[in-house]
Amino acid sequence: MDTHADAQASEALQAAQAPQAPDAPASDARPVLEAPDIARVLTRIAHEIVERAKGADDVVLLGIPTRGVFLAQRLAAKLEQITDRPVPVGSLDITMYRDDLRMHPPRALARTEIPGDGIDGRLVVLVDDVLFSGRTIRAALDALNDIGRPRAVQLAVLVDRGHRELPIRADYVGKNLPTSLRETVKVQLAEEDGRDTVLLGAKPAAQ
């Protein structure tokens, strides 16, 4: 028996089964927002929501997984500081409403959590990290339509990078970031990634 070959095979199998580290940002990626910037723009967005909603009495925040949920939770905390009352916050999974399901491997379902009072007659603010083509938001609107009938729907995003493919515009934008299609925008949040930053870098070459 070739024990050396067996050991090599065992090591290869263990390596294949080991959990993979998350993709590291491209080496040329540069930060365009750091933690203080993100905190500052979220504070501004919270004040803008209160102003436009005339107090935010009927506002419900729904984050789009994954990082949109964390941003929605942070916005809810800031709105509570401003208005001195809690703001309902939840999450909206759009997986089954995407228009690219047939073009990609099956996706894991995220969680949809709607606050107890629902969304009927409320002002729903969808929250996401990056607005790009607009297709994610279109899917979110379809998902929302199956849940209830809000009074109105608004959109808050941390970054708008342009290149819209659908007639969708954010109501609240943390940072407008002109990009080319050869670039990628990566949002990292402490809840998921261990730090707060927005990175702009070159899009990885196709394998």
Side-chain angles (χ1 to χ4, degrees):
M1 177 181 297
D2 190 343
T3 55
H4 180 67
D6 287 345
Q8 287 183 322
S10 177
E11 290 175 359
L13 179 61
Q14 291 175 0
Q17 293 175 338
Q20 299 297 309
D23 293 337
S27 58
D28 65 339
R30 60 182 178 86
V32 292
L33 289 176
E34 298 281 16
D37 307 312
I38 293 174
R40 184 165 53 250
V41 299
L42 289 178
T43 298
R44 171 173 55 78
I45 289 174
H47 280 280
E48 290 174 355
I49 291 173
V50 171
E51 181 178 357
R52 291 187 57 173
K54 296 179 172 58
D57 290 350
D58 66 344
V59 168
V60 176
L61 301 176
L62 293 182
I64 299 174
T66 299
R67 290 167 182 82
V69 176
F70 302 132
L71 292 172
Q73 292 167 349
R74 295 189 191 186
L75 275 175
K78 290 182 179 296
L79 286 170
E80 183 172 354
Q81 292 175 357
I82 297 169
T83 64
D84 200 29
R85 57 179 171 271
V87 174
V89 59
S91 60
L92 182 66
D93 178 40
I94 64 164
T95 304
M96 300 308 296
Y97 296 86
R98 298 184 63 97
D99 60 7
D100 60 355
L101 276 177
R102 292 174 294 176
M103 298 183 289
H104 294 281
R107 301 170 181 263
L109 295 177
R111 298 183 65 178
T112 289
E113 295 182 349
I114 304 301
D117 290 339
I119 62 170
D120 291 344
R122 309 293 292 269
L123 170 57
V124 171
V125 179
L126 298 173
V127 184
D128 204 6
D129 55 353
V130 179
L131 179 58
F132 186 24
S133 69
R135 294 183 180 276
T136 293
I137 304 307
R138 182 207 60 80
L141 292 172
D142 287 346
L144 202 59
N145 188 58
D146 281 351
I147 294 170
R149 193 174 190 276
R151 171 176 70 79
V153 180
Q154 296 179 351
L155 174 62
V157 298
L158 182 62
V159 174
D160 184 346
R161 62 166 297 185
H163 303 289
R164 211 76 76 244
E165 297 173 5
L166 298 172
I168 288 174
R169 180 177 62 86
D171 300 274
Y172 312 101
V173 178
K175 183 176 180 63
N176 286 291
L177 184 62
T179 64
S180 80
L181 291 174
R182 297 186 299 274
E183 293 175 312
T184 183
V185 176
K186 175 69 173 176
V187 173
Q188 296 183 329
L189 297 176
E191 297 91 333
E192 179 79 6
D193 311 290
R195 66 170 180 165
D196 283 357
T197 188
V198 177
L199 299 170
L200 176 65
K203 189 176 182 178
Q207 298 296 320

